[in-house]
Amino acid sequence: MARRVYHAWKGRNIFFCKGRLIFGPDAKSLIITLLLIVVPVVIFCTKVARNLLHEFPTYNTGYVILVVTILFTIYVLVLLFLTSARDPGILPRNSHPPEEEICYDPSASVDVGGIHTPTPRLPRTKEVTVNGFSVKVKYCDTCMIYRPPRCSHCSVCDNCVERFDHHCPWVGQCIGLRNYRYFFLFVSSSALLCIFIFSMSALNVKFLMDDYGTPWKAIKESPASVILIVYSFIFLWFVGGLTCFHLYLIGRNQTTYENFRYGAANRHNVYDQGCFRNFLEVFCTKTKPSRNNFQAYVQEEMPMRITREVKIDDSEGDSRTKVQDNLEIDNDLLKISQRRDAGEAVNS
């Protein structure tokens, strides 16, 4: 029976709805995140907003506060879902090293069918041009691809992700090219929700102080308001600080990974287009389609002819010296070597 791509996926992702929804391996942490959002809102609606209904009898202001709270919470949860349940920009894996990048070392040959053939090698890095600047990209041993600029391999999800920012355990997903916008909106909206609940809870305490005369009686009358004030204040430091940090990163067109690796003083950021254009790139560009069709059927590959050791050229100083992979080529290495030798003879 034919299998679909999400059944045979080699990463650690978790799929739902026949591959339509993709989560990270730590998707269970979403339950904690949902509780941290929903429980305070439920307490606010049942304990605080109910009292505000009586404090604002005219123009139905109390009902407006209640409706705004519910709708804004739904909006935050939708952003959380869009961040967690979609492909963040995963690059498809290769089934064998890229043949067009393989070079042959005549100094190190092996005996194949009585004929000495050069050993295939892959350079550890290669250079590409970005905005007129030369940028080195690395070869990924796991995915068997040369990572595009700003791509990195996530050790948690075991995938190469385009414009990799970081892996967020709170949303159980990598943050990359296709979900960074929703991640930022989720974090910033959560900060606004904290400010709103903090303000309304403090306003409720003020009304109770006016009614009962002392702060202690007001706190005794509505301990939920005080708890929400403390809770919102604490979490506002977290999501508010994260919002400010990512505003800074967006303004510089820098990812969290790049910031921690190269530092904020990196003066050679080839991706920086100016603050205004950097914001336009994040918020006003169309989200690129996924490079993976997880619902498609797995295509059967040609049977492997020869399993060879493809050495990785570590002249750049990488600590890893080689990678052993299955080199699946339609013709075996002997025929490739013969074609190469014949071509050299013709040219000579």
Side-chain angles (χ1 to χ4, degrees):
M1 183 177 179
R3 296 192 303 167
R4 295 188 183 270
V5 172
Y6 71 92
H7 286 141
W9 190 251
K10 294 182 180 180
R12 300 193 185 101
N13 303 91
I14 301 173
F15 295 90
F16 292 98
C17 299
K18 297 182 178 181
R20 293 180 178 87
L21 304 179
I22 174 174
F23 295 87
D26 49 353
K28 292 182 180 179
S29 61
L30 274 173
I31 299 176
I32 299 176
T33 304
L34 286 171
L35 292 176
L36 290 173
I37 296 172
V38 174
V39 171
V41 171
V42 171
I43 295 175
F44 175 81
C45 293
T46 56
K47 301 295 183 180
V48 179
R50 185 177 61 178
N51 183 59
L52 294 176
L53 295 177
H54 304 290
E55 297 292 344
F56 297 103
T58 57
Y59 304 108
N60 296 321
T61 306
Y63 289 98
V64 172
I65 294 174
L66 182 60
V67 171
V68 168
T69 304
I70 295 173
L71 292 179
F72 198 74
T73 301
I74 294 175
Y75 171 69
V76 171
L77 295 178
V78 169
L79 290 173
L80 174 61
F81 178 78
L82 291 175
T83 303
S84 304
R86 71 181 324 180
D87 177 2
I90 298 173
L91 290 174
R93 300 182 181 216
N94 280 338
S95 56
H96 55 76
E99 182 181 351
E100 65 276 6
E101 301 292 343
I102 296 177
C103 57
Y104 296 88
D105 185 5
S107 63
S109 60
V110 294
D111 188 11
V112 178
I115 300 177
H116 291 280
T117 59
T119 300
R121 292 182 179 273
L122 274 174
R124 171 62 60 186
T125 63
K126 69 176 184 177
E127 293 188 355
V128 297
T129 302
V130 178
N131 296 331
F133 294 91
S134 179
V135 177
K136 287 185 178 181
V137 295
K138 291 185 177 181
Y139 178 76
C140 178
D141 299 334
T142 303
C143 301
M144 288 188 280
I145 61 173
Y146 281 96
R147 302 169 189 159
R150 315 192 85 178
C151 174
S152 184
H153 191 91
C154 176
S155 59
V156 180
C157 295
D158 197 22
N159 296 312
C160 279
V161 180
E162 288 188 277
R163 201 186 183 278
F164 177 76
D165 191 87
H166 70 288
H167 183 92
C168 181
W170 295 101
V171 302
Q173 182 63 282
C174 286
I175 307 302
L177 178 68
R178 301 187 67 249
N179 65 349
Y180 180 80
R181 179 187 307 171
Y182 301 105
F183 169 76
F184 175 81
L185 292 175
F186 164 68
V187 172
S188 57
S189 299
S190 299
L192 293 176
L193 184 61
C194 286
I195 294 173
F196 182 80
I197 292 180
F198 177 89
S199 302
M200 294 299 104
S201 299
L203 184 62
N204 185 50
V205 172
K206 178 184 180 302
F207 287 142
L208 292 175
M209 287 176 58
D210 294 339
D211 294 336
Y212 293 94
T214 62
W216 302 112
K217 290 183 179 180
I219 293 174
K220 185 178 180 180
E221 184 65 22
S222 182
S225 297
V226 180
I227 293 174
L228 289 175
I229 289 174
V230 175
Y231 180 89
S232 301
F233 181 79
I234 293 174
F235 274 86
L236 181 60
W237 278 100
F238 174 70
V239 292
L242 200 58
T243 300
C244 294
F245 176 65
H246 279 280
L247 282 173
Y248 166 77
L249 292 180
I250 294 172
R252 289 175 51 87
N253 202 337
Q254 193 177 42
T255 65
T256 302
Y257 176 79
E258 292 167 349
N259 183 268
F260 279 90
R261 182 174 182 179
Y262 304 114
N266 181 21
R267 299 180 180 179
H268 302 287
N269 184 2
V270 300
Y271 310 103
D272 190 359
Q273 308 174 63
C275 185
F276 180 71
R277 289 187 177 181
N278 292 340
F279 273 88
L280 288 180
E281 181 181 330
V282 173
F283 297 107
C284 300
T285 56
K286 186 178 179 180
T287 302
K288 293 184 178 180
S290 174
R291 292 177 179 262
N292 304 280
N293 184 3
F294 296 109
Q295 296 177 271
Y297 288 100
V298 177
Q299 296 180 356
E300 294 186 3
E301 299 178 353
M302 297 295 294
M304 180 180 63
R305 297 293 183 88
I306 296 179
T307 300
R308 290 287 307 276
E309 178 181 305
V310 181
K311 295 185 178 180
I312 304 299
D313 185 1
D314 274 332
S315 58
E316 298 295 330
D318 196 293
S319 60
R320 294 172 296 181
T321 58
K322 63 182 179 179
V323 55
Q324 290 184 342
D325 294 298
N326 290 334
L327 182 60
E328 300 175 5
I329 309 176
D330 292 338
N331 299 313
D332 57 28
L333 286 176
L334 176 60
K335 293 182 179 180
I336 294 175
S337 178
Q338 289 174 346
R339 288 201 305 267
R340 175 175 172 271
D341 295 339
E344 291 179 352
V346 171
N347 293 333
S348 62

